[in-house]
Amino acid sequence: MKLSDVVAFVGHQVHVCRYREAGTLLDWMGTDLRGKKVLDVAGGDGYWAGQTRKRGAFAVSIDLARGKMEYGRTLAHAPALIECDALKLPFQDGSFDAILSVCAIEHFDDGGTSLDEMSRVLKPGGQIFMSADVLSRADAWPKLRDAHKAKYHVQHTYTHESLAKLMDARGLDLVRHSYQFRTAAAERLYLSLSAYGGKVGFNAAAPLAPLVAAADAKAPNERGSIVLVQARKRG
């Protein structure tokens, strides 16, 4: 394994939430993606799109971060990496069987336009697997909330209900959803790591991931820091 792959593995999978977040979306997508065309919207270095390629997909990752994509091209399972705007995708209608997007929509000025584009390039019957910031209790800790939003350029937050409404208007039906960091303690941990720990903090807190998952399993699936959704385009 190349050094770049080791670094990418640590960055993406040794993490208090990203492995469970993206891993769940990939589990929903399925283990056999042979013959499927998958688009990762705002995929950065393309690591997670590369995981769909390992499952047999023809994978494409788009982003505007050229440096991340240049790094991504060095990975063993690099997808096709295209520099473009998520609000104006350079693909024909119905080009993809599935779309992946890991905590990206909250950073867009216009989440509705990004969903317009995702729906447009998705085949009828195709599915979207995405996550978004919710920050259900963030108002309880305004300093942490504001620090998180400023640090990660969070423009909007979403619940599964608000995403379902946006998707319904674009011919997409919500299939299922799941919240992560569901308890107040877990959500405060997420915001504290975000505000004060950054990437290093999220990586260092990776041993806490099983505890957060266990707490989530006992809490109602109603709110949290991150929401995961699966939706299908009407045929």
Side-chain angles (χ1 to χ4, degrees), residues 7-234:
V7 172
F9 177 88
V10 172
H12 290 282
Q13 300 213 33
V14 182
H15 195 284
V16 73
C17 67
R18 196 66 73 214
Y19 174 72
R20 189 162 68 101
E21 177 185 357
T24 298
L25 295 175
L26 288 173
D27 287 345
W28 289 356
M29 194 178 292
T31 57
D32 186 357
L33 299 176
R34 287 174 293 181
K36 302 293 186 181
K37 294 182 179 179
V38 176
L39 173 65
D40 188 355
V41 174
D45 61 14
Y47 178 85
W48 293 112
Q51 301 308 298
T52 72
R53 186 182 173 201
K54 287 176 67 175
R55 299 180 182 200
F58 172 76
V60 179
S61 178
I62 68 101
D63 207 291
L64 287 171
R66 183 176 298 179
K68 289 183 179 180
M69 289 190 292
E70 289 176 351
Y71 177 79
R73 291 189 178 96
T74 70
L75 301 179
H77 299 283
L81 291 147
I82 298 175
E83 183 179 355
C84 69
D85 190 342
L87 306 187
K88 193 174 182 181
L89 297 173
F91 308 112
Q92 294 182 349
D93 296 359
S95 297
F96 294 93
D97 299 287
I99 292 175
L100 175 68
S101 186
V102 182
C103 263
I105 191 172
E106 66 266 27
H107 306 297
F108 302 146
D109 292 334
D110 189 341
T113 298
S114 71
L115 284 171
D116 285 336
E117 284 293 274
M118 290 186 213
S119 179
R120 180 184 66 78
V121 303
L122 191 64
K123 294 178 181 178
Q127 298 189 78
I128 292 177
F129 303 85
M130 68 183 300
S131 57
D133 265 8
V134 187
L135 310 181
S136 298
R137 302 178 180 86
D139 290 347
W141 311 292
K143 290 184 178 179
L144 294 178
R145 175 202 63 205
D146 294 345
H148 171 82
K149 288 188 172 182
K151 191 171 186 177
Y152 292 98
H153 311 290
V154 174
Q155 305 297 315
H156 307 280
T157 56
Y158 299 90
T159 64
H160 76 281
E161 292 99 339
S162 63
L163 284 173
K165 185 176 180 180
L166 286 171
M167 289 176 165
D168 178 62
R170 291 157 178 84
L172 300 160
D173 294 319
L174 187 68
V175 174
R176 58 179 158 182
H177 74 276
S178 181
Y179 285 92
Q180 295 187 353
F181 294 85
R182 297 177 187 176
T183 67
E187 188 154 7
R188 185 164 189 173
L189 169 67
Y190 177 82
L191 286 171
S192 297
L193 289 170
S194 172
Y196 303 120
K199 292 182 179 179
V200 174
F202 279 126
N203 293 141
L208 298 176
L211 297 177
V212 174
D216 282 355
K218 296 178 181 179
N221 188 27
E222 298 172 352
R223 58 181 176 175
S225 293
I226 300 168
V227 65
L228 285 63
V229 298
Q230 176 183 349
R232 181 180 290 110
K233 185 175 181 178
R234 295 174 199 137

